[in-house]
Amino acid sequence: MARTVDQQAHQQRRQAIAEAVWRVIQRDGLEHASVRRVADEAGMSMGSLRHYFATQSELLAFSLGMVGEGMMDHIRQLDLAEDPLERAVQILLTGLLPTGPRQRAITQVWLAFLGRVLTEPSLRRSSNELYDATGELVAWVMAELAASGRLRDDLDLTLETQRLYILIDGLTVQALIRPEKVPPTRLRELLTHHLDQLCR
């Protein structure tokens, strides 16, 4: 039992350090997320931080992986609507798009990592896992809509799932870079309009 408690405490501390990484990235940029700066942000010594993460690459990979967990936390807290279409909008809007301060923070961290992923293989695995998890969520939403009988019979479900995924990817970037042009209300309108077109 004590071992389980120790493991939980260890994991919670790793998550708190990842949150410190996120804050440094948001404030100063990914290029400044050094072990020393993250340790300062987390209120601990570099030696203590290295007890949890042996290298900067390990620290950054874990922090990137935590992005997906942050997205899922928002979905778990939703009081989902009865209507399948509105439920789909809720999940996608709240889980994947930057519609609030916490979602914006998560998205900002994710996008900050994208350029680095191209040159650092150690981050590529975490990035691929995050993209795969996002794709699986979109596919699940589409499958739920199909099971509810709301989708048109003439749709290619695989194609439309990929199209929705790409739409969300584009909306995410636009909403983060130009929030005045694509505020949360506009995100909802665009997403609802797109899904409406897929329904009977």
Side-chain angles (χ1 to χ4, degrees):
M1 183 67 170
R3 184 178 176 83
T4 301
V5 172
D6 287 345
Q7 288 174 338
Q8 288 175 343
H10 184 81
Q11 183 65 9
Q12 287 171 352
R13 191 60 176 149
R14 281 166 63 89
Q15 291 172 357
I17 294 169
E19 294 266 357
V21 172
W22 289 11
R23 292 193 298 274
V24 171
I25 291 172
Q26 287 179 268
R27 187 180 62 241
D28 307 317
L30 179 58
E31 66 275 13
H32 295 292
S34 64
V35 172
R36 179 182 298 279
R37 190 165 294 193
V38 171
D40 288 344
E41 182 69 29
M44 60 197 306
S45 69
M46 288 178 63
S48 296
L49 189 146
R50 290 194 188 282
H51 173 70
Y52 297 95
F53 299 99
T55 65
Q56 185 190 33
S57 293
E58 183 185 339
L59 170 63
L60 293 179
F62 181 81
S63 301
L64 176 56
M66 283 297 298
V67 168
E69 189 59 32
M71 291 175 172
M72 290 307 298
D73 279 345
H74 287 295
I75 295 171
R76 292 187 195 106
Q77 294 168 23
L78 283 174
D79 183 14
L80 291 172
E82 291 286 331
D83 177 65
L85 182 58
E86 176 57 26
R87 193 161 58 238
V89 171
Q90 279 182 284
I91 291 170
L92 297 173
L93 201 63
T94 306
L96 301 182
L97 291 165
T99 54
R102 178 70 173 170
Q103 291 101 317
R104 285 188 63 79
I106 290 169
T107 305
Q108 186 178 346
V109 170
W110 183 359
L111 293 184
F113 271 105
L114 288 184
R116 192 84 166 256
V117 165
L118 297 175
T119 57
E120 287 195 30
S122 60
L123 294 175
R124 197 166 298 139
R125 179 179 173 185
S126 294
S127 176
N128 288 341
E129 288 174 354
L130 182 54
Y131 263 109
D132 288 345
T134 303
E136 287 167 9
L137 178 61
V138 174
W140 180 81
V141 166
M142 288 292 285
E144 288 289 297
L145 273 176
S148 74
R150 294 295 297 274
L151 294 183
R152 300 196 328 257
D153 293 334
D154 62 330
L155 291 182
D156 180 330
L157 188 58
T158 302
L159 180 67
E160 292 300 340
T161 298
Q162 186 173 19
R163 191 161 73 111
L164 176 59
Y165 184 18
I166 291 169
L167 172 67
I168 288 170
D169 215 31
L171 289 176
T172 298
V173 174
Q174 289 288 316
L176 191 65
I177 303 301
R178 306 187 74 191
E180 73 285 355
K181 297 287 186 182
V182 195
T185 52
R186 188 61 173 161
L187 288 174
R188 170 175 276 277
E189 288 172 2
L190 291 166
L191 191 55
T192 302
H193 177 74
H194 177 78
L195 291 175
D196 269 338
Q197 302 251 315
L198 305 182
C199 292
R200 297 175 185 274

